Amino acid sequence: MDDEAEWIQRARAGDREAFARLVEVHREVAYRTAFWILRDADDAMDVTQEAFLRAYRSLNRFAERSSFRTWLRRIATNAALDRRQRRLREPELPEDLEPAARGPSASERLAQAETRALVREAIDALPPASRAAVVLRDVHGLSYAEIAETLKIPKGTVMSRIHKGRQILRRRLADVLGPRAEVLQQARQTEVGT
Amino acid sequence: MSDAELSGFLDGELSPEEEERVIARLALDAGAPRELAELSALQELVRDVVPLPDAARWASFDAGLAKELDTEAVPDAPRGLRWWGHALVAASVLCAAWGLARWLGGEPRWVLAAPRIPDAPRDYRAPSWTPSEPRPLPPLDGLLEQPLELEPGQIAALGSHGLIQLGPPRPSLSALYGPEATLPPLASADTSLVIYGAVASRLALELEQRVVRPEVRGLVDLLDRELGRLARDVRGQTSRHAVRAAQEYVSVLAALEGLPSQLADPARRRVHSEVALIRAAVGPAPSPVLSALCGREVVLDYGALRERGLFSHATGLDDHGRAMRWLSVAGLPLDPDDPAASRAACMLVLALSQGRLADGRYGFGALARLEAALEVLYGRTDAVTPFELLEALRRVLSQQSVTPSELSDAVVARVASTARALTPAPVLGAPAPGELEGVHLLGRLRSLEGQALARLGPGRVAGRERASALDVLGVLADPVAGRRLRSVISAEGSDGPDPEAYDAAVAALREQARPWWDPSRPVPTRACLEQGRLWTVAALLRRRGLAPIATLNDPWYRDRLALTAFAALNATPPAPADLGPIDDVGPIPVLEPLPELHARIAFSAARLRDVGEQLLGWGSPAVAALDHLTRLEAALSSAAQDVLSDRPVPASTLQALAQYVPTVRALAPLDVRSVEDLGSGVGGVLHRGVLGVERLVCVGVDPSTRRLEVAQGAALVASSWWGEAPAGEAPVDVALPRWPSHRWDEGR
């Protein structure tokens, strides 16, 4: 992360290339954060852009007490919440069923949407402590240390909460997971065999 | 190996030893690979809940962001730590309060009003007026019955400055306005300053009664409820002690505001003792509440908690005044080495952040509105307030919400030092050791005057019970005025003899105040009434480029203006009552031809009127008074311009001037039966004003011709030394007014 500190330093001085590096590394986590709140790809994209703009403007106020990624996530969270607030009165198309210029067919997208809805429902049903840990790890992609910092719990507790959450999800999503796990295991065995 | 380690292995979060264990298990346990595969598939499923954009979309994103960044400047320069935390939190809370108020249908007057007030006085640059050609003024039919033959230079000066000073001999003008006098009333600059001061005080009083006090009572009620709840819920002895201490601190306020509180003995007894000490204003004594809170003897100067200023003028505000003093004087110490008081302060902040007022507003929203109101009245605080403390808590704990259980000694110490670092530097430079070390719910030393007073307070000047506004003037004005004030204080002041330490203290304070005189530095008069008036005096005295009157290097005249302006500060505001239209008419006054002074007063009154309208609405008597004053001063300015330009005065201006007498009667701070009382009464504030006019040329308007006339008796014999700067010090033999009180003097 020394490189990152240097990029931040350069970006503060107006070096756009350095800021572009930060964007490249962290745009996914910002997008994931925004999407998790908004559940809409276009809105999440807009909010991600908004989050980076806010971050750029405020770069000199970033005290580096947390990581840049944690700071950016906070900004993205706030921007997404703002957007959601504004969107409350607007009609909303169902997730993932909006017309797309290209990509999977309608039936494939419907199947994907159903699976996502199922997974999301299972995640939402997790106990709060486990849910937070699993979402921060698997949806937002945070490290255990970042999750520990965010939730103010020891790293060991993070691991046990994630594991507990995953065990519950495994049971609830067994029908979906079974075939996928088969495929994965076979692939792994093949990998080992070669 | 635990099952959890399999998850950790999948996430790449294990130590090398742990990884080895997992790899061994995967090799030996037939079910383990299957479990790992399921976990991996699950992870993929969960990750896929957020469908990621494809590469083309990211490319479009990068291009869009780059385009947006093209319009951005280099990242904002880091701001000083003094204000931004406060401002950020205050702004967000204000926004929340504003939104909440809109949501609840309320009128967010404070929020709208505060930004409309200029941060610094406008450089009022009125044009100067020169008569078309030098000419002798008509002979006088005045007291001396001799013609007044002004020289061309004097006439030019009259045009540019609106003021001519003549040499001795000088019989007292006040003698002309004796009981038997039949002269027209004199609209003097002093009268305008005094009336302006009284009306501004009236606005301050109304704000205190109608806005500040209700908000404080609401907050006390909230804190009492929330701290009661915390006392029931909180765990741990130190936390419980902190909550109880905060409860006691708030209960002092509740008792002074006549509100109930939930305390039981012995805390209740301590609060009663505290309130008794405050009411008795006994001087320095150990504070029962703060001593119990800190676990050591804490001495408070209860004399400093005496109700002052407008609180002492208004019926029913005495205990509220003491409550405000308690809030601003008795802070909770933020000592990193002694976390008890800091923790209690944190509990107050937690209660504020969690609780709502009876009308549904959040505690910090109400506090922000109150802060905005106090800014209008007294300017910005330079002490730690709950805003800084909240910001410090958030910084130290890196989270939005805070719970009492997180307030360990180490955390509290860091919060205390962070909050202190966020505190703005005082206006007059570094504070003395031990100052500004506590958190004050409503801030502490707000006005320049207040800061000056604090530094001139007990302990700095031996033998003086307390400082007064006159001391401040001695500091802010100049050495000549200071000497004058010294003689006034010595002869007339209520504060006892004039020890040598006084001179030393004033000299030291003057040095501290030097930055205030830097012309490039905006003077923070933002909506601060007292400071605004102080600034006016300062402008009159020192900043000649901005001053409405050229003072012609005459320290005597500067003294007179300064004393008059401070008479305005000391004046009792008129009783708040409905002030309807003023329809009466009276005689047209003669006036000092000082268009710039009247224009400045009109401008200031209009500004306060607009602010008052935002905050109190048009039904406010103070707003109505300010409106009357604005029109009157505008008319006086206009008439002065006309007479100096040798133009006929428009009928509309004459009509406004005809309301001078009834308006002054309505707005005067004292019970003035007639404007003539101004010259004949003894000890009246306006009387003093007239006393000071004896060396001025006053110009009146002849209503029949609407032409300029020199007022009878006001102009005396011209002197051959006109134009020379008077040498030496101000005369000391001039009879100075007696000051019945100096109560409008203490800044909060």
Side-chain angles (χ1 to χ4, degrees), chain B residues 274-555:
Chain B
E274 190 76 54
V275 170
L277 287 167
I278 292 171
R279 286 189 174 134
V282 293
S287 159
V289 166
L290 293 184
S291 298
L293 190 156
C294 297
R296 59 184 164 82
E297 186 176 278
V298 176
V299 174
L300 266 187
D301 178 7
Y302 288 94
L305 272 71
R306 186 184 293 128
E307 81 287 5
R308 288 173 179 173
L310 56 88
F311 299 116
S312 62
H313 298 318
T315 311
L317 280 187
D318 45 358
D319 262 358
H320 169 65
R322 295 184 183 109
M324 297 299 284
R325 299 292 291 173
W326 170 256
L327 282 172
S328 58
V329 173
L332 295 166
L334 283 179
D335 183 354
D337 298 327
D338 180 11
S342 303
R343 187 177 283 109
C346 291
M347 293 300 176
L348 277 179
V349 167
L350 289 183
L352 273 174
S353 68
Q354 292 168 6
R356 293 191 184 205
L357 273 72
D359 60 11
R361 285 178 296 141
Y362 286 101
F364 263 97
L367 191 66
R369 295 180 72 199
L370 187 55
E371 173 67 26
L374 292 172
E375 249 190 62
V376 170
L377 286 169
Y378 306 106
R380 282 180 169 161
T381 176
D382 59 3
V384 182
T385 69
F387 293 106
E388 282 82 20
L389 202 54
L390 179 65
E391 176 64 14
L393 278 165
R394 285 176 174 168
R395 285 190 186 190
V396 170
L397 296 172
S398 301
Q399 61 193 52
Q400 292 298 306
S401 60
V402 180
T403 59
S405 60
E406 291 166 315
L407 300 175
S408 64
D409 282 0
V411 166
V412 167
R414 281 179 61 201
V415 168
S417 54
T418 305
R420 292 181 64 168
L422 287 169
T423 306
V427 178
L428 290 184
E435 286 186 39
L436 301 176
E437 61 177 3
V439 59
H440 295 73
L441 268 184
L442 297 182
R444 191 184 177 199
L445 305 170
R446 289 173 175 274
S447 65
L448 179 70
E449 188 182 4
Q451 299 198 37
L453 286 168
R455 285 160 178 73
L456 276 174
R460 296 297 184 87
V461 184
R464 289 175 61 82
E465 186 186 339
R466 62 193 170 94
S468 76
L470 295 174
D471 301 285
V472 182
L473 182 62
V475 171
L476 296 183
D478 58 19
V480 176
R483 279 196 290 275
R484 166 68 57 196
L485 289 165
R486 179 182 161 181
S487 68
V488 170
I489 292 166
S490 179
E492 309 284 349
S494 59
D495 296 319
D498 181 22
E500 288 180 6
Y502 171 71
D503 282 346
V506 166
L509 184 52
R510 183 175 296 125
E511 197 55 39
Q512 287 185 47
R514 193 176 297 281
W516 201 69
W517 297 105
D518 176 3
S520 62
R521 182 175 184 272
V523 180
T525 59
R526 179 187 166 104
C528 173
L529 302 186
E530 288 184 53
Q531 223 161 301
R533 278 175 281 173
L534 273 174
W535 185 86
T536 303
V537 178
L540 289 169
L541 294 172
R542 294 293 283 271
R543 299 179 69 173
R544 296 180 189 169
L546 304 179
I549 303 170
T551 55
L552 302 177
N553 291 320
D554 187 340

Side-chain angles (χ1 to χ4, degrees), chain B residues 503-733:
Chain B
D503 282 346
V506 166
L509 184 52
R510 183 175 296 125
E511 197 55 39
Q512 287 185 47
R514 193 176 297 281
W516 201 69
W517 297 105
D518 176 3
S520 62
R521 182 175 184 272
V523 180
T525 59
R526 179 187 166 104
C528 173
L529 302 186
E530 288 184 53
Q531 223 161 301
R533 278 175 281 173
L534 273 174
W535 185 86
T536 303
V537 178
L540 289 169
L541 294 172
R542 294 293 283 271
R543 299 179 69 173
R544 296 180 189 169
L546 304 179
I549 303 170
T551 55
L552 302 177
N553 291 320
D554 187 340
W556 189 92
Y557 189 62
R558 292 206 300 264
D559 282 359
R560 184 177 72 82
L561 282 173
L563 288 169
T564 304
F566 274 85
L569 288 178
N570 281 329
T572 308
D578 289 340
L579 190 66
I582 297 174
D583 297 325
D584 294 345
V585 293
I588 303 274
V590 296
L591 62 148
E592 287 181 79
L594 305 172
E596 295 187 15
L597 172 70
H598 292 299
R600 180 177 285 280
I601 294 177
F603 168 75
S604 302
R607 192 179 67 173
L608 284 181
R609 177 198 61 196
D610 294 344
V611 172
E613 183 196 347
Q614 288 286 336
L615 305 179
L616 298 164
W618 262 111
S620 150
V623 171
L626 284 161
D627 191 50
H628 285 302
L629 185 64
T630 301
R631 284 190 277 110
L632 183 62
E633 288 297 325
L636 288 168
S637 175
S638 175
Q641 290 177 38
D642 288 333
V643 297
L644 289 172
S645 305
D646 201 18
R647 291 194 301 257
V649 179
S652 58
T653 304
L654 285 178
Q655 196 178 350
L657 288 179
Q659 291 192 322
Y660 179 81
V661 170
T663 303
V664 168
R665 280 181 184 155
L667 304 183
L670 299 176
D671 182 19
V672 178
R673 287 162 295 153
S674 72
V675 173
E676 287 69 36
D677 283 350
L678 305 181
S680 61
V682 175
V685 171
L686 299 183
H687 174 68
R688 298 174 192 149
V690 174
L691 272 177
V693 194
E694 52 202 323
R695 293 199 300 175
L696 304 180
V697 167
C698 295
V699 180
V701 184
D702 181 339
S704 58
T705 63
R706 298 188 197 165
R707 309 298 289 193
L708 171 150
E709 273 189 2
V710 176
Q712 291 180 3
L716 307 175
V717 176
S719 165
S720 58
W721 54 263
W722 166 257
E724 294 174 13
E729 293 184 7
V732 293
D733 58 343

Side-chain angles (χ1 to χ4, degrees), chain B residues 56-251:
Chain B
R57 193 76 197 274
W58 278 126
S60 162
F61 169 86
D62 289 340
L65 180 61
K67 195 174 167 186
E68 287 289 334
L69 286 171
D70 282 339
T71 64
E72 295 283 336
V74 175
D76 294 343
R79 296 174 186 174
L81 287 179
R82 298 188 311 169
W83 275 111
W84 85 266
H86 185 146
L88 190 67
V89 177
S92 63
V93 175
L94 278 174
C95 288
W98 182 83
L100 197 64
R102 290 291 294 263
W103 181 258
L104 297 171
E107 295 179 13
R109 292 172 179 158
W110 298 110
V111 182
L112 295 175
R116 291 181 49 170
I117 304 163
D119 277 330
R122 180 187 296 175
D123 285 2
Y124 180 78
R125 295 189 184 282
S128 60
W129 294 269
T130 304
S132 52
E133 56 185 35
R135 59 181 173 76
L137 292 173
L140 284 179
D141 224 4
L143 182 68
L144 302 180
E145 295 185 349
Q146 27 182 313
L148 178 68
E149 293 177 352
L150 297 181
E151 296 169 2
Q154 292 173 319
I155 294 174
L158 177 66
S160 61
H161 308 317
L163 172 68
I164 294 179
Q165 299 180 26
L166 304 171
R170 48 174 192 278
S172 169
L173 180 65
S174 58
L176 300 178
Y177 280 84
E180 293 81 29
T182 56
L183 297 171
L186 171 65
S188 68
D190 309 288
T191 305
S192 287
L193 282 169
V194 170
I195 297 288
Y196 171 68
V199 174
S201 301
R202 185 176 188 151
L203 178 73
L205 187 62
E206 211 175 311
L207 286 175
E208 196 75 45
Q209 285 172 322
R210 287 181 49 190
V211 180
V212 174
R213 191 180 188 206
E215 289 286 12
V216 168
R217 290 170 66 88
L219 281 171
V220 168
D221 177 56
L222 176 153
L223 286 170
D224 190 55
R225 272 188 284 111
E226 284 300 317
L227 289 170
R229 192 180 60 76
L230 274 177
R232 288 190 297 275
D233 297 348
V234 82
R235 294 175 188 170
Q237 194 174 350
T238 54
S239 293
R240 274 201 298 274
H241 173 77
V243 174
R244 277 199 300 268
Q247 279 182 301
E248 284 188 40
Y249 181 81
V250 172
S251 293

Side-chain angles (χ1 to χ4, degrees), chain A:
Chain A
M1 277 298 120
D2 285 343
D3 284 346
E4 185 168 275
E6 193 185 331
W7 296 342
I8 292 169
Q9 210 50 43
R10 283 168 50 195
R12 279 179 176 145
D15 183 339
R16 292 272 303 280
E17 196 180 320
F19 190 71
R21 296 296 300 273
L22 291 170
V23 173
E24 191 184 342
V25 171
H26 297 295
R27 66 188 181 189
E28 185 178 321
V29 74
Y31 176 85
R32 284 180 171 280
T33 302
F35 187 94
W36 181 254
I37 293 168
L38 295 165
R39 305 188 186 195
D40 178 86
D42 289 337
D43 278 1
M45 208 53 141
D46 288 349
V47 163
T48 304
Q49 179 170 310
E50 173 66 24
F52 277 109
L53 285 172
R54 288 189 194 181
Y56 185 73
R57 289 176 197 134
S58 310
L59 211 48
N60 274 317
R61 282 174 237 146
F62 170 48
E64 298 184 54
R65 291 196 187 89
S66 61
S67 68
F68 179 84
R69 182 156 76 157
T70 307
W71 183 63
L72 180 69
R73 278 192 64 253
R74 268 189 227 136
I75 295 176
T77 302
N78 289 336
L81 290 172
D82 290 348
R83 172 64 65 102
R84 191 172 69 174
Q85 193 65 28
R86 286 202 303 272
R87 214 178 55 179
L88 279 178
R89 295 180 187 168
E90 298 171 7
E92 197 175 6
L93 285 173
E95 179 188 352
D96 284 343
L97 290 179
E98 298 167 55
R102 57 185 176 177
S105 67
S107 59
E108 284 170 334
R109 282 191 288 117
L110 187 60
Q112 279 178 356
E114 280 176 354
T115 305
R116 281 183 189 134
L118 202 64
V119 175
R120 181 118 195 184
E121 196 179 312
I123 293 171
D124 288 346
L126 286 174
S130 297
R131 186 174 62 222
V134 168
V135 168
L136 288 174
R137 172 63 210 167
D138 290 340
V139 179
H140 295 171
L142 265 59
S143 68
Y144 282 19
E146 287 169 323
I147 296 169
E149 184 194 332
T150 303
L151 300 180
K152 307 292 173 202
I153 53 176
K155 205 170 154 185
T157 310
V158 172
M159 188 156 73
S160 63
R161 285 187 185 178
I162 287 175
H163 182 68
K164 186 180 172 189
R166 283 174 177 167
Q167 293 301 96
I168 297 170
L169 288 176
R170 272 177 71 194
R171 286 197 296 276
R172 290 194 179 149
L173 298 171
D175 291 346
V176 184
L177 275 178
R180 291 174 181 243
E182 287 284 350
V183 173
L184 279 174
Q185 196 174 9
Q186 282 169 12
R188 183 181 174 80
Q189 282 168 351
T190 308
E191 211 174 281
V192 171
T194 55

